[in-house]
Every structure is written in structure tokens, then in C-alpha cells.
């Protein structure tokens, strides 16, 4: 076994189960291992590397800013944060933005903001505010995020959990309406459930939810940590339904794949309830994070990555549908967030990913049945052809094994 794998296993925790490859270099849509083997990255760090590896503009911004000023904390102003927040608000049509680092921290921020709004504006009685979330959601790994989760594995033996969360079926506006009570502060929803298995709700779902929330004085908070920033072929996935949420979460690709940068964005009347000292983060919004965030946003727009995501996503899904393997139960997704559902009675998704690794294609299963395909948004047709061809060969091999056990 590779020495560094041994070291990770010996000294690390076992909370991940990586594929057996040691990566040493990345450029664009490709990464290389220590032996110089090249792999097409069809996973882009769970959608965090949307700009591709080592994007020259991001590297340049990182080096320039790191040599000048990085972390001074929010106890002082820097020249970088204001322009970043302004650009993020302009591009999302939100009024205000609060910077954090990880997606889970942005979620925690949104929960606090929604509760504060419920008590101070909606008039909910102290400690009674409730947040509705969806079955199958993924909002991160903090205690509040797993308190909202319906996944047994994410919760088992981590209780007790903070109260005040309620789950409803995903994709069903009537279930949301029935769950709303006078103390409901907010409805948290992913426009496409990423970790939940690339689940795309029926078209119009989000628009119906927005209408129900508005009618019932409930905040609509869209978690676009994974689906935002062009991943689904529009700048925000909620735009597929023409929806402008009251609160919005961005993360992952916001740091250009180089640095953790997240934002909670919201209406002014929600965000302005925060007072100095109510909430914060030592690293959130530091000059380096803000520089990378702004550069990451500008690149998405200036290099047409959102449009490329829409076009390449269609091309990828068409290629996958043409494979016509009996092992494939479904091909679904939006833009470059694509799920290939494999029949678990024939082969587990993990084994497909392991075999794809041998063919130089990196991806990762979500749950046991779905192969996630979410490459950098810079990907081109030739690269997609390589991925589809490797998937076709891999599935054909498993079919043959099935036929000749
Ligand atoms: N929300 C969504 C929709 C996510 O997909 C994720 C991560 O996969 C998170 C939140 C948590 O982000 P992070 O891992 O940066 O804490």
C-alpha cells in the first residue's frame, strides 16, 4: 500500500473512505497521481472546483493578496470585503451578505437569522420557532445541520440534537403547506438535492413553495451551497423556477476551489436584525477569502461558465442516455450536476466508481446507487466524450460479469 495512504489510515480518523489514489497535481479538469497517471475529474471536490484546478486568474489573485494582507479579523475593515459582498448581492439580487467559511457555517448562520426574525419580527413566542426542512436533505455536518437531516447514518449516536426542526417530503408543496404552523420561521430547501442523490424536484415545485411561504409569512431559504454559482446551468438553481428566495446560501465554488468561502445572503429586513457581537467568525470574510470570492464570481461571469454548464450538462446527459445499459436505472440532473442511478441488484455505485478510476475517470458515489457526475464547469465536449466512453466500457464489463458469473 502507498506509504501516505498508510499514514492517513494510521493517524487519521476513519470518517472518509477515499478511493485508492494519491493525487499530487491538478490543472483544469485533470489531476495527476504520483506516478504521472492522468485522471479526468468528474467530481470537482463535491462541486467546489467549478473553475477547474489551478485556474491562473485565481492563483494570481491568491498569490498577490496573500503577499499583501490575509487575516486581520472583522475587528477592522479591509479594502477587499466590501467589493466582494457588493458583487455577490448584485449577482444574486439579494440585499445583504454575511461571510463565513464552510457551507455548514453558512447554514448555522441562516438558522440563527431565521429564528431571530421569527422572534423579533413575526412575534413567535420565545424558544418556539420552528424550521421546516426536506426529507433527504443535506445541509452539512454540524449538530444543527444533522438535527435537520433524515439520514440515519448522519445522526446515529450524535444526539441529543437541538430542537425546532420539522421534516416534510421533498418535491411536494402540499406537504409544506400542511406542516406550517404559526411558529414556523422558515423553510430550508435545496433546489436540487445533491448529496441526497441528485434529486430534481418536479418543475414548478420551488415556485409553489415560494408562494406558500409568502402567503404564510415564512422565510424561504434556498441552500445553494452545491447548486449555486452556475452548477445547474443558471447562476442560481432557484432561477429555473423564477424564484427569488428570502435567504440564500452559497459556498463550495465561491472560494474558487482554493479556500473555504461561504455566504449567507438575505433580505435587508432579515439581515439587519444582527447586531455587533450577535454572530461572527474569526476567518469569515478575511481579505484573502474576499479576494478569491470576488475573483471566483467574476470568472464565472466573464468566462461564460454558467452557459457552458448548461450546454455541457445537456451534452453529458445525452451521452449517458445513449449508453442504454440495463444497469442504468436513471440519468438525471440539471446543468453539470448529474446523477447516474445504477441498479443496486446488479452492482453497487461504489464499484462503478472504483472501476472508473482504473479508466482514468474520478467520481464518487452518493448513497449506494448513484454515481455523481459534477465536473468543473470549464469542461469541454472532448473531455465529456472521454468520461462517457469510460462509463460505457465499465458498465459493459459489469454486464458481462453478470452474464458469466
Ligand atoms: N449544503 C449543501 C447543499 C451541501 O451540499 C453541503 C456540502 O456538501 C453543505 C451544505 C455543507 O458544506 P460544507 O461541507 O462546506 O460544510
Amino acid at each position: 500500500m502507498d506509504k501516505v495512504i498508510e499514514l492517513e489510515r494510521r493517524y487519521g480518523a476513519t470518517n472518509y473512505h477515499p478511493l485508492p489514489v494519491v493525487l499530487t497535481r491538478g490543472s483544469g479538469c485533470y489531476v495527476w497521481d504520483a506516478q504521472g497517471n492522468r485522471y479526468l475529474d468528474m467530481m470537482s471536490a463535491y462541486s467546489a472546483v467549478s473553475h477547474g484546478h489551478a485556474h491562473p486568474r485565481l492563483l494570481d489573485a491568491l498569490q498577490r493578496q496573500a503577499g499583501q494582507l490575509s487575516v486581520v479579523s472583522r475587528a477592522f475593515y479591509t479594502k477587499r470585503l466590501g467589493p466582494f459582498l457588493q458583487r455577490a448581492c448584485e449577482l444574486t439580487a439579494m440585499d445583504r451578505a454575511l461571510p463565513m467559511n464552510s457551507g455548514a457555517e453558512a447554514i448555522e448562520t441562516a438558522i440563527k437569522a431565521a429564528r431571530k426574525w421569527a422572534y423579533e419580527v413575526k412575534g413567535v413566542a420565545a424558544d418556539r420557532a420552528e424550521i421546516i426542512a426536506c426529507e433527504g436533505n443535506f445541509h452539512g455536518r454540524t449538530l444543527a445541520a444533522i438535527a435537520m437531516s433524515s439520514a440515519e447514518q448522519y445522526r446515529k449516536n450524535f444526539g441529543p440534537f437541538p430542537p425546532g426542526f420539522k421534516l416534510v417530503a421533498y418535491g411536494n408543496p402540499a406537504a409544506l403547506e400542511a406542516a406550517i404552523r404559526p411558529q414556523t420561521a422558515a423553510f430550508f430547501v435545496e433546489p436540487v438535492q445533491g448529496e441526497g442523490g441528485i434529486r430534481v424536484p418536479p418543475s414548478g415545485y420551488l415556485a409553489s413553495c415560494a408562494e406558500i411561504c409568502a402567503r404564510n409569512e415564512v422565510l424561504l431559504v434556498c441552500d445553494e451551497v452545491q447548486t449555486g454559482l452556475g452548477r445547474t446551468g443558471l447562476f442560481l438553481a432557484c432561477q429555473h423556477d423564477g424564484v427569488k428566495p428570502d435567504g440564500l446560501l452559497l459556498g463550495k465554488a465561491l472560494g474558487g476551489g482554493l479556500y473555504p468561502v461561504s455566504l449567507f445572503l438575505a433580505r435587508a429586513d432579515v439581515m439587519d436584525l444582527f447586531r455587533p457581537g450577535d454572530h461572527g467568525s474569526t476567518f469569515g470574510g478575511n481579505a484573502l477569502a474576499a479576494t478569491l470570492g470576488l475573483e471566483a464570481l467574476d470568472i464565472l461571469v466573464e468566462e461564460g461558465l454558467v452557459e457552458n454548464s448548461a450546454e455541457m450538462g445537456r451534452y453529458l446527459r445525452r451521452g449517458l442516455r445513449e449508453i442504454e445499459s440495463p444497469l442504468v436505472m436513471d440519468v438525471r440532473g440539471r446543468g453539470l450536476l448529474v446523477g447516474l442511478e445504477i441498479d443496486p441488484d446488479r452492482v453497487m455505485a461504489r464499484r462503478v466508481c472504483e472501476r472508473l478510476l482504473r479508466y482514468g475517470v474520478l467520481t464518487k458515489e452518493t448513497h449506494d446507487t448513484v454515481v455523481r457526475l459534477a465536473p468543473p464547469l470549464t469542461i469541454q465536449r472532448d473531455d465529456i466524450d472521454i468520461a462517457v466512453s469510460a462509463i460505457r466500457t465499465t458498465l459493459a464489463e459489469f454486464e458481462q460479469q453478470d452474464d458469466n458469473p
Side-chain angles (χ1 to χ4, degrees), residues 6 21 80 89 105 130 196-197 202 212 241 246 272 292 305 308 373 379 384 392 399:
E6 233 174 80
V21 61
R80 301 291 163 213
C89 286
E105 286 170 299
E130 206 164 67
I212 292 166
D241 262 20
D246 306 302
D272 292 351
L292 285 168
L305 299 190
N308 194 58
L373 298 162
I379 198 165
I384 289 181
R392 181 182 285 110
E399 265 171 58

Side-chain angles (χ1 to χ4, degrees), residues 159-405:
F161 301 107
F165 300 103
K166 195 173 186 174
L167 287 174
V168 296
Y170 185 59
N172 180 352
L176 167 65
E177 178 124 46
I180 290 175
R181 299 195 290 172
Q183 66 266 42
T184 306
F187 173 53
F188 279 46
V189 62
E190 297 157 87
V192 174
Q193 286 189 338
E195 301 309 299
I198 324 290
R199 289 173 67 200
V200 184
S203 120
Y205 168 62
L206 218 53
S208 303
C209 293
E211 186 276 317
I212 292 166
C213 286
R215 189 158 34 81
N216 288 280
E217 211 192 354
V218 167
L219 300 176
L220 174 68
V221 177
C222 287
D223 181 348
E224 296 234 24
V225 167
Q226 184 150 175
T227 56
L229 305 177
R231 175 54 54 189
T232 71
L234 289 178
F235 192 78
L236 298 175
C238 59
Q239 292 168 341
H240 288 284
D241 262 20
V243 162
K244 180 175 178 303
D246 306 302
L248 173 70
L249 300 153
L250 296 176
K252 293 193 189 273
L254 193 56
L258 292 173
Y259 200 84
V261 183
S262 66
L263 284 176
F264 168 60
L265 303 108
R267 282 180 357 208
D269 61 311
V270 177
M271 195 71 93
D272 292 351
L273 298 172
F274 281 121
R275 294 272 159 262
D278 282 353
H279 185 61
S281 157
T282 304
F283 282 87
N286 73 68
L288 186 57
T291 301
L292 285 168
L294 179 56
E295 194 69 12
L297 290 172
D298 283 343
I299 292 171
L300 283 174
V301 175
E302 288 164 22
E303 299 191 356
L305 299 190
V306 182
E307 295 77 11
N308 194 58
S309 169
E311 192 188 330
M312 292 302 124
R314 276 192 296 272
Y315 186 67
L316 172 59
R317 286 195 300 280
R318 193 164 65 231
L320 293 172
R321 287 197 178 111
E322 281 169 6
I323 291 178
E324 285 187 351
S325 163
L327 272 59
V328 175
M329 295 175 71
D330 195 16
V331 174
R332 57 177 180 260
R334 270 191 181 145
L336 282 170
L337 185 58
V338 175
L340 178 69
E341 177 137 20
I342 306 289
D343 182 352
D345 292 336
R346 308 286 289 265
V347 61
M348 300 306 261
R350 164 114 192 159
R351 288 197 59 212
V352 175
C353 297
E354 285 167 352
R355 186 69 63 93
L356 281 172
L357 176 68
R358 282 201 231 154
Y359 287 113
V361 172
L362 292 188
T363 185
K364 188 78 169 68
E365 78 281 2
T366 151
H367 299 287
D368 289 336
T369 56
V370 182
V371 175
R372 170 211 316 259
L373 298 162
L377 306 186
T378 53
I379 198 165
Q380 298 297 318
R381 278 169 192 254
D382 290 353
D383 308 312
I384 289 181
D385 291 342
I386 291 174
V388 170
S389 156
I391 292 167
R392 181 182 285 110
T393 308
T394 297
L395 294 175
E397 283 175 8
F398 281 117
E399 265 171 58
Q400 271 181 2
Q401 274 175 19
D402 253 22
D403 294 340
N404 311 296

Side-chain angles (χ1 to χ4, degrees), residues 7-180:
L7 285 177
E8 269 199 35
R9 291 197 178 161
R10 163 70 180 80
Y11 291 104
T14 45
N15 57 330
Y16 277 93
H17 182 26
L19 291 174
V21 61
V22 179
L23 302 172
T24 55
R25 187 166 72 84
S27 175
C29 295
Y30 288 90
V31 287
W32 285 261
D33 69 14
Q35 288 75 42
N37 299 310
R38 190 179 83 151
Y39 302 87
L40 175 58
D41 185 357
M42 289 298 288
M43 209 272 243
S44 57
Y46 301 96
S47 301
V49 186
S50 288
H51 303 77
H53 296 273
H55 192 293
R57 277 179 63 178
L58 286 162
L59 284 186
D60 188 46
L62 174 79
Q63 278 157 2
R64 255 186 304 115
Q65 190 58 42
Q68 197 170 355
L69 186 71
S70 296
V71 183
V72 291
S73 85
R74 295 290 305 281
F76 313 101
Y77 290 95
T78 69
K79 284 191 166 175
R80 301 291 163 213
L81 184 55
F84 168 48
L85 301 182
Q86 179 188 19
R87 191 84 179 110
C89 286
E90 282 168 1
L91 286 170
T92 57
M94 289 282 150
D95 299 325
R96 306 269 195 273
L98 191 161
M100 298 296 281
N101 311 284
S102 65
E105 286 170 299
I107 275 281
E108 294 278 333
T109 307
I111 293 168
K112 288 169 81 172
R115 286 180 171 178
K116 206 165 176 22
W117 174 85
Y119 299 126
E120 295 178 18
V121 177
K122 189 170 174 178
V124 172
D127 290 342
R128 297 290 309 282
E130 206 164 67
I131 285 170
I132 301 176
C134 292
E135 282 163 11
N137 75 65
F138 186 84
H139 297 297
R141 301 293 195 158
T142 57
L143 277 171
I146 62 172
M148 302 164 86
S149 173
S150 57
E152 178 58 16
Q153 193 200 351
Y154 301 161
R155 297 166 54 91
K156 196 171 173 212
N157 292 335
F158 292 129
F161 301 107
F165 300 103
K166 195 173 186 174
L167 287 174
V168 296
Y170 185 59
N172 180 352
L176 167 65
E177 178 124 46
I180 290 175

